[in-house]
Amino acid sequence: MKILVVDDSKAMRMIVIRNLRQAGLGDATVVEAENGVQGLEQVAAEKPDLILCDWNMPEMNGIDFLNALRAQGDSTTFGFVTSESTPVMRDQAIRAGAAFLLAKPFSSDDFQKVLARVA
């Protein structure tokens, strides 16, 4: 499995990756991007099986990234991992094609639960 982690914070990308490994995905290949623009480039180059993305990022935020992917016909499983989680955001994410929205702080158990639902 190949996973793309998109977050403007290097520290947060490292936390997400650590939690993925602890959730049982230690053998996954992980690629990273700092924003939606880089995320689009990485999707084209790497063809990930799963995208985990922050919502608020410079240059292109997470929802715009998801919308751009879906507009291109890309149906890669996409989940938000973000500090904000309002009902409006959750609804917008699901309508745009996200499989889940996981609010920070999160644990490896949280990852196991959401990934079990989308796998």
Side-chain angles (χ1 to χ4, degrees):
M1 172 178 266
K2 188 178 288 188
I3 302 170
L4 172 60
V5 177
V6 184
D7 196 304
D8 57 316
S9 166
K10 174 72 174 166
M12 187 51 63
R13 291 195 307 270
M14 292 172 62
I15 291 168
V16 169
I17 293 166
R18 184 183 71 230
N19 276 274
L20 285 171
R21 304 253 186 256
Q22 291 172 347
L25 294 170
D27 59 343
T29 301
V30 178
V31 292
E32 301 177 44
E34 294 180 9
N35 57 55
V37 173
Q38 288 183 7
L40 288 171
E41 293 168 359
Q42 288 289 54
V43 168
E46 299 289 339
K47 308 289 189 238
D49 302 297
L50 172 65
I51 300 167
L52 299 175
C53 186
D54 189 19
W55 190 288
N56 294 311
M57 299 176 292
E59 294 191 46
M60 179 186 282
N61 66 28
I63 195 70
D64 290 343
F65 172 39
L66 175 56
N67 286 327
L69 279 176
R70 297 303 188 242
Q72 295 173 358
D74 188 292
S75 61
T76 303
T77 302
F78 190 108
F80 283 102
V81 181
T82 185
S83 57
E84 295 179 53
S85 178
T86 67
V88 171
M89 288 174 71
R90 192 173 295 276
D91 184 57
Q92 185 180 8
I94 300 304
R95 280 187 287 120
F100 60 88
L101 191 148
L102 182 62
K104 299 172 190 173
F106 49 82
S107 68
S108 57
D109 288 341
D110 296 328
F111 269 108
Q112 283 179 319
K113 289 174 189 170
V114 297
L115 296 176
R117 288 195 320 249
V118 300

